[in-house]
């Protein structure tokens, strides 16, 4: 039996907390949201870890929890999202254009079905394999690939054409 | 579709870059992670931790502690059974941390080796009903080498008719040996019951270890 120790869990935190934070930061409206979601993700992971049988997909398992936490957060926050965008777009300076683009891409990803939005970030930003994305999104690797593809197609219509 | 034709590699979706190439402010990230560590340290303090030990008298035994108090001791069960039961009762899955249970395992082994007369260990019985707690607290007062009957415990807690319920409460003793339910027997001199691993045989062994059986052969099963 693979006995669950604090040290084993701490190693997970050490290894993955930064990339999980990056993922949540890309998906959620504000850095504060990302910080809250990071805490929630690892507190849930801490509670579930001793019962986890399959230790071959720990990274995907953490991204799965983070995805659930993030989308719960987004659902709860839907009412306030307009407010958040207002706030951020008041930032002035040379980086404003990039910042505005970031915000609009993030908002568009949030509008996609959860599996498509998550698949895009997990693949394109976090570099997970389709097998890992499948494990994180409770679907097959093929379905993970399809979700990524469909999400990208929708965004491409919105953004790639605007660019030209 | 195969991997080589993913949109990302086939057709560079540069328009995604403002989001996917962007990184959170490093200070914000470090602060978030530091706060996370603090929360985890706090949650660890309240986590249930367990360990196991081996001794010829009881075989493999499991101990669990929360807030530095002993909450469970069991033997004659599989590790999974012990953990499932703990989780069902406390709604929390335990971590394996032998070092945090050192004083508990040491005292238990000393006792089983006949090197310790009584325990000096904090215990917690929060999950039990008031009646069960009363019974177990009364049992905790029985000194080593002495034997009392279920009826005597029932009388002691001011509920002389509750003999059967006393037996049931002792049968659900979450911390056998440390709460010496083996020192409680039936009024007719038979050993009564023992729900610990090894059943009555273990009960007799523990009483023998404590010298309670000397000259009391009628107590043997």
């Amino acid at each position: 039996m693979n006995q669950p120790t604090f040290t084993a869990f701490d190693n997970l935190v050490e290894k993955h907390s930064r990339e999980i934070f990056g993922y949540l930061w890309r998906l959620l409206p504000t850095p504060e949201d990302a910080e809250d979601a990071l805490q929630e993700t690892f507190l849930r992971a801490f509670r579930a870890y001793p019962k986890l049988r399959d230790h071959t997909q720990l990274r995907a398992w953490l991204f799965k929890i983070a995805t659930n936490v993030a989308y719960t957060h987004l659902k709860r926050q839907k009412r306030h999202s307009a407010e958040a965008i207002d706030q951020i777009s008041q930032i002035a300076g040379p980086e404003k254009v990039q910042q505005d683009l970031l915000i609009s891409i993030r908002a568009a990803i949030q509008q996609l079905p959860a599996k498509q939005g998550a698949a895009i970030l997990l693949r394109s930003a976090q570099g997970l394999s389709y097998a890992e994305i499948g494990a994180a999104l409770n679907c097959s690797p093929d379905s993970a690939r399809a979700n990524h593809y469909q999400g990208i197609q929708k965004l491409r219509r919105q953004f790639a054409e605007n660019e030209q | 579709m195969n991997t080589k034709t993913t949109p990302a590699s086939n057709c560079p979706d540069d328009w995604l870059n403002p989001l996917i190439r962007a990184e959170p402010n490093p200070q914000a990230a470090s602060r978030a992670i530091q706060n996370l560590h603090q929360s985890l340290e706090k949650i660890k303090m309240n986590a249930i931790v367990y360990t196991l030990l081996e001794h010829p008298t009881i075989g493999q035994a499991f101990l669990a502690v929360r807030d530095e108090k002993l909450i469970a001791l069991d033997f004659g069960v599989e590790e999974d059974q012990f953990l499932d039961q703990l989780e069902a009762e406390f709604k929390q899955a335990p971590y394996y941390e032998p070092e945090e249970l050192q004083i508990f395992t040491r005292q238990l082994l000393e006792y089983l080796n006949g090197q310790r007369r009584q325990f000096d260990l904090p215990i917690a019985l929060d999950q039990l009903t008031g009646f069960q707690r009363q019974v177990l607290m009364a049992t905790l007062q029985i000194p080593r080498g002495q034997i009392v009957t279920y009826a005597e415990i029932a009388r002691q807690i001011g509920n002389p008719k509750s003999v059967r319920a006393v037996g049931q409460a002792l049968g659900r003793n979450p911390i056998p040996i440390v709460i010496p339910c083996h020192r409680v027997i039936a009024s007719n001199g038979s050993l009564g019951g023992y729900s610990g691993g090894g059943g009555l045989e273990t009960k007799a062994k523990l009483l023998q270890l404590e010298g309670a059986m000397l000259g009391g052969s009628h107590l043997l099963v």
Side-chain angles (χ1 to χ4, degrees), chain A residues 1 3-7 9-10 13-14 17-18 21-22 25-26 35 38-39 42-43 45-47 49-51 53 98 101-102 105-106 109 120-121 124-125 130 145-146 148-149 152 155-156 159-160 163, chain B residues 1-3 6-8 11 13-26 28-33 35-37 39-41 43-44 47 49-50 52 79-80 83 87 93-97 100:
Chain A
M1 185 172 168
Q3 279 143 337
T5 63
F6 289 158
T7 310
F9 186 80
D10 288 342
V13 177
E14 201 57 49
S17 54
R18 206 159 275 271
F21 182 72
W25 176 83
R26 288 184 181 85
E35 180 171 339
L38 179 75
Q39 294 248 349
F42 278 95
L43 294 186
F46 181 83
R47 286 194 289 266
Y49 180 72
K51 287 178 294 171
R53 289 284 170 257
Q98 283 296 314
L101 267 172
L102 184 155
I105 297 169
R106 178 187 277 150
I109 286 180
I120 290 175
L121 288 181
S124 301
Y130 286 118
R145 189 198 307 274
H148 178 266
Y149 180 77
I152 286 280
L155 293 185
R156 201 180 275 156
F159 290 94
E163 252 182 12
Chain B
M1 270 188 284
N2 65 57
T3 6
T6 57
C11 164
D13 287 303
D14 290 341
W15 49 269
L16 260 176
N17 285 349
L19 180 63
I20 64 169
R21 299 269 170 263
E23 290 293 336
N25 175 322
S30 298
R31 197 193 50 226
I33 289 167
N35 289 342
L36 171 62
H37 280 296
S39 301
L40 288 172
E41 285 316 306
I43 201 179
K44 277 182 202 163
V49 289
Y50 80 98
L52 48 93
E79 186 164 356
D80 277 344
L83 296 175
E87 207 212 323
Y95 276 79
Y96 178 72
E97 290 295 326
E100 298 211 13

Side-chain angles (χ1 to χ4, degrees), chain B residues 196-213:
Chain B
L200 288 178
E201 201 183 315
T202 306
K203 190 171 187 172
K205 272 196 220 165
L206 292 172
L207 289 173
Q208 240 153 9
L209 173 77
E210 297 180 345
M213 304 296 281

Side-chain angles (χ1 to χ4, degrees), chain A residues 43-106:
Chain A
L43 294 186
R44 280 195 203 180
F46 181 83
R47 286 194 289 266
Y49 180 72
K51 287 178 294 171
L52 191 66
R53 289 284 170 257
D54 179 9
H55 283 214
T56 59
Q57 297 270 30
L58 288 169
R59 186 183 184 214
W61 175 68
L62 288 172
F63 274 106
K64 177 194 221 156
I65 301 173
T67 303
N68 289 338
V69 168
Y71 276 94
T72 305
H73 198 100
L74 283 174
K75 236 182 259 169
R76 237 189 353 243
Q77 277 217 331
K78 221 158 209 173
R79 291 175 295 149
H80 307 293
S81 59
E83 224 174 283
I85 288 180
D86 262 7
Q87 239 175 20
I88 298 171
S89 57
Q90 282 165 14
I91 297 167
E95 288 173 357
K96 183 163 165 42
V97 176
Q98 283 296 314
Q99 181 69 13
D100 283 352
L101 267 172
L102 184 155
I103 291 166
S104 52
I105 297 169
R106 178 187 277 150

Side-chain angles (χ1 to χ4, degrees), chain A residues 21-32:
Chain A
F21 182 72
Y23 173 58
L24 294 165
W25 176 83
R26 288 184 181 85
L27 189 51
L28 295 174
T30 71
E32 290 74 24

Side-chain angles (χ1 to χ4, degrees), chain B residues 38 47 69 71-72 77-78 82 86 90 111 114 120-121 127 131 136 142 144-145 163 165 173 180 186-187 213 219:
Chain B
Q38 281 174 7
K69 293 183 189 121
I71 55 169
V77 293
E78 294 295 319
F82 174 72
L86 265 182
F90 293 88
Y111 165 85
D120 178 20
L121 295 172
Q127 305 302 105
F131 178 80
L136 295 175
I142 309 168
R144 180 194 177 103
V163 180
N173 178 8
S187 300
M213 304 296 281
L219 289 178

Side-chain angles (χ1 to χ4, degrees), chain B residues 128-143:
Chain B
L128 305 182
T129 65
F131 178 80
Q132 288 173 313
R133 245 196 318 271
Q134 266 186 312
V135 171
L136 295 175
M137 293 313 281
T139 305
L140 201 54
Q141 306 307 316
I142 309 168

